[in-house]
Amino acid sequence: MAAALLGPHFDLHGGGLDLKFPHHENEIAQSCAACDGPFVNLWAHNGFVTLDNEKMSKSLGNFFTVRELLPRLRHPEVLRAFLLASHYRGPINYSQVQLLQADAALTRLYTALRGIEDQAQAGIAASTRLRPDSRYSLRALRRRWMMTSIRRTRWRRCRDWRASSMRRAPRARRPRSPHWPHSCAGLPACSVCCSCRPNSGSGWHRSSRSRAPSWQPTAPAH
């Protein structure tokens, strides 16, 4: 039948998931053997249609046609929106609640698109009325955007330069005494540390190494 109506080779062949094997497998084998060539390019297997979560079939008697369903709907597009709301390979659960939800979604869509053609025409007419020397022309807007970008870049560079110039260099640590933390008792007088000075506390001496000490060590009493 397919070869008589569509030819020995065509693009798309559809059917239910339950017909994938063995019906379509046998059809491919028979057609390729009879016509000596490829049969179909693409196969599309749709999901089952259920009625209140029950499989719709003639044997159960829970089926109806599209002609019987259209008089119950507000518009035929409601049925189209209901069918397009699910993937073609997934199951479709037909119920009155699902139809009402599809009708509400379709109403929201048409409400959002209401008057959009008039607004588009008004926008096109307004854009054609703009003069080339207008401040809202494309060239003027591009120039304003470039000047804004240049000012922003200069401001950022100035900010980074100020931040880098205000950074303080780390403070150098003072050199420690060669005898620190031990005292200099019994050693020659040291001009750096003060621990060898008589009656002096611990701390750093302010005189430099090259300067001679302003005091002399006293001899121990016998």
Side-chain angles (χ1 to χ4, degrees), residues 22 87 89:
H87 196 268
R89 287 188 178 181

PDB file of all heavy atoms in Angstrom, residues 22 87 89:
ATOM      1  N   PRO A  22       6.723  -6.317  15.688  1.00  0.00           N
ATOM      2  CA  PRO A  22       7.404  -6.750  14.458  1.00  0.00           C
ATOM      3  C   PRO A  22       6.829  -6.132  13.179  1.00  0.00           C
ATOM      4  O   PRO A  22       7.304  -6.442  12.099  1.00  0.00           O
ATOM      5  CB  PRO A  22       7.164  -8.240  14.464  1.00  0.00           C
ATOM      6  CG  PRO A  22       5.801  -8.375  15.073  1.00  0.00           C
ATOM      7  CD  PRO A  22       5.663  -7.264  16.064  1.00  0.00           C
ATOM      8  N   HIS A  87       5.430  15.865  24.184  1.00  0.00           N
ATOM      9  CA  HIS A  87       6.319  15.332  23.153  1.00  0.00           C
ATOM     10  C   HIS A  87       5.613  14.220  22.389  1.00  0.00           C
ATOM     11  O   HIS A  87       4.799  13.485  22.949  1.00  0.00           O
ATOM     12  CB  HIS A  87       7.598  14.801  23.798  1.00  0.00           C
ATOM     13  CG  HIS A  87       8.715  14.581  22.830  1.00  0.00           C
ATOM     14  ND1 HIS A  87       8.936  13.375  22.206  1.00  0.00           N
ATOM     15  CD2 HIS A  87       9.670  15.430  22.371  1.00  0.00           C
ATOM     16  CE1 HIS A  87       9.987  13.475  21.404  1.00  0.00           C
ATOM     17  NE2 HIS A  87      10.447  14.704  21.493  1.00  0.00           N
ATOM     18  N   ARG A  89       6.690  11.482  21.305  1.00  0.00           N
ATOM     19  CA  ARG A  89       7.007  10.125  21.749  1.00  0.00           C
ATOM     20  C   ARG A  89       6.450   9.811  23.133  1.00  0.00           C
ATOM     21  O   ARG A  89       6.454   8.655  23.548  1.00  0.00           O
ATOM     22  CB  ARG A  89       8.521   9.924  21.774  1.00  0.00           C
ATOM     23  CG  ARG A  89       9.141   9.796  20.396  1.00  0.00           C
ATOM     24  CD  ARG A  89      10.599   9.401  20.505  1.00  0.00           C
ATOM     25  NE  ARG A  89      11.202   9.230  19.199  1.00  0.00           N
ATOM     26  CZ  ARG A  89      12.470   8.856  19.007  1.00  0.00           C
ATOM     27  NH1 ARG A  89      13.246   8.628  20.056  1.00  0.00           N
ATOM     28  NH2 ARG A  89      12.948   8.723  17.794  1.00  0.00           N
TER      29      ARG A  89
END
